[in-house]
Amino acid sequence: MCFECLCVSQTRALAPSERASPAARAGERTVVIADTVRARANALNGAMSAHVRVALLALALALWLRKRTLNASSSTPRRKVIVLGAGFAGVQAAIDLRAHCDVEVIDGKEYFEFVPGTLAALAGARPMSTSTFADDAATRAQRAIMVPYAQIFKDKRVKFTCTRGREIDVRDDCVIVRGERSSMEDVRLAYDELIVATGSVYAGVIKSSGVGREMTMQGRMDAYAEARASIVRGNTTTIIVGGGVVGVELAAELAARATKANNGSSVVLLHAGERLLDALPDHIGTYVTKALIKSGVKVYVGQKYERDGENAFIGVANKNVIRGDYVLMAIGSKPATEFLKRATDDVGENATLDVPLDQLGRIRIDPSTRRVIGVESRVYAVGDVASKPPEHMLASYAHWEAEYVATRIKYHGNAKALAKLGAYVPPPRLMAISLGSFDGVMVWGDRVVATGIVAAMFKALVQFWFIRFLPAPYGVMKMLPHMRCAPRDPARLSPASSS
């Protein structure tokens, strides 16, 4: 019989005069039940086996030791990382390392520029946006691809130094920023790890030179506005030299603007190779060529052209003459490594770091680690400044290389974590080639996976994503298939399609 039933039966056996009130009977039952629960708990506690008690004690000890270890690791001196260059790779590396190291970024200008967006901005446009041809709209398009470094590194525990044209010497333990004038002292910045991410330079307006007035954001906008005013005025012919991605996108953007404005302007594209986009599979170049011709671009390929005066070119093979009113050079990209070529007579600890360069002036690296060959293991090169396959000269690869190197630095001293990270594996090529604000080609590996407005939407998403340095995790992207497959029949790819 349960305790409650026993209590009730005993209460019923009492004489009516001795029976308690209902409230008293409820109190009695509560006391009995509480005593029963307490007794059972004591019995359970007494029956608890010794190994369970030991397990709980071990768990408490493990938690205490973990907390103590974390406190000890937080007191370990943070490694000092210097990042030379603040393009895609440099900024991404700094952002990834800011919570783990003391990071200082050095660049010659005061702002980040989303270079893939400059081509549309030169025509006063941007992806998925209708151009109004007004100066204020063009200014907004240009401003949308520029971000001050003070804003990027705000509250991100990264120190930024703008050299403003001052020379830099790289040594095996520090970077020296020379004084702006002979009367000013040099600034010596020691490092534990050095990341060279100075990128590449273009002749002309396509990419900021980072010198003179273009060191400031306003100066760069002024230079761009002047070039745009010369290009987009009516009844002009713009000659673009170079049929790579840059030349193709620039020709498409200017042709789209000329068509919409209907102001008598025209675009000519010259390329020395046998076809446009010769670094990509044939069917992609064929598709783009058809699209450009359909939009009114005059395309000349298959021979070199020599410049004849300021705005004219003569074909080397057939001697045909191409004349225009304005010339844009979409070739001649060079790695920004001139500062590494300045040798000094100093020896010992004052000697300039001897960084090996390939025939094109790019830094020779170990492709599995991104470390610079022939110097100490703590020097890395990422982005366009590094010697690597031409198909990897994209902003996306600069991002992934920077993320990988930052992870290696974070794992310094942790052999197990470094072994798990492994060698650098390039993710598949994923790019969008713009053919106007609402047209384009999306390429994954060797395949065209989207054209038309779908590709334009992807291009707009890429610009939105990368200008904010949102995650594009290397660890995930490297596992995607490379899509190295037989090319599609070019006849099946029509510029009018939007698959």
Side-chain angles (χ1 to χ4, degrees), residues 78 81-106 152-153 156-160 195 197 382 402-403 405-406 409-410 469:
R78 291 158 61 91
V81 180
I82 298 293
V83 181
L84 294 180
F88 285 103
V91 172
Q92 189 61 51
I95 290 175
D96 287 349
L97 287 169
R98 66 183 185 267
H100 306 272
C101 305
D102 292 331
V103 184
E104 182 156 358
V105 179
I106 301 174
I152 293 177
F153 297 128
K156 288 185 171 61
R157 291 161 285 176
V158 175
K159 184 177 180 182
F160 175 73
I195 302 175
V382 293
E403 182 181 336
V405 167
I409 293 175
K410 286 188 288 186
F469 294 93

Side-chain angles (χ1 to χ4, degrees), residues 57-270:
L57 180 62
L59 178 60
L61 180 61
L63 292 173
W64 177 78
L65 288 175
R66 182 176 182 273
K67 182 177 180 180
R68 182 174 180 179
T69 302
L70 291 175
N71 290 338
S73 63
S74 63
S75 62
T76 303
R78 291 158 61 91
R79 295 182 68 75
K80 175 69 174 180
V81 180
I82 298 293
V83 181
L84 294 180
F88 285 103
V91 172
Q92 189 61 51
I95 290 175
D96 287 349
L97 287 169
R98 66 183 185 267
H100 306 272
C101 305
D102 292 331
V103 184
E104 182 156 358
V105 179
I106 301 174
D107 198 274
K109 59 186 187 305
E110 300 175 348
Y111 56 92
F112 169 81
E113 183 176 53
F114 183 78
V115 177
T118 62
L119 308 175
L122 193 58
R126 49 184 167 176
M128 300 301 296
S129 176
T130 303
S131 175
T132 63
F133 306 109
D135 290 339
D136 58 341
T139 300
R140 287 195 301 271
Q142 182 181 343
R143 190 180 295 277
I145 61 173
M146 304 173 73
V147 187
Y149 289 129
Q151 178 179 331
I152 293 177
F153 297 128
K154 182 181 180 181
D155 300 329
K156 288 185 171 61
R157 291 161 285 176
V158 175
K159 184 177 180 182
F160 175 73
T161 297
C162 183
T163 61
R164 294 182 174 274
R166 289 175 287 172
E167 290 187 353
I168 294 177
D169 286 342
V170 179
R171 300 183 179 178
D172 61 359
D173 63 345
C174 69
V175 173
I176 298 178
V177 181
R178 296 299 181 185
E180 190 170 358
R181 296 182 297 273
S182 59
S183 59
M184 297 179 63
E185 294 185 358
D186 298 340
V187 178
R188 186 186 186 96
L189 304 172
Y191 64 80
D192 297 309
E193 310 278 354
L194 175 66
I195 302 175
V196 183
T198 46
S200 58
V201 293
Y202 261 98
V205 73
I206 292 176
K207 189 174 183 179
S208 173
S209 65
V211 298
R213 66 174 176 174
E214 293 193 12
M215 290 188 296
T216 67
M217 191 166 169
Q218 185 58 53
R220 170 62 172 161
M221 293 183 67
D222 291 343
Y224 227 65
E226 292 172 6
R228 184 170 55 248
S230 299
I231 295 170
V232 302
R233 69 179 189 270
N235 299 311
T236 60
T237 298
T238 301
I239 300 176
I240 300 171
V241 181
V245 174
V246 173
V248 165
E249 289 196 341
L250 187 55
E253 295 289 356
L254 293 179
R257 179 185 176 96
T259 299
K260 185 174 182 179
N262 194 24
N263 59 3
S265 296
S266 61
V267 179
V268 177
L269 179 59
L270 308 180

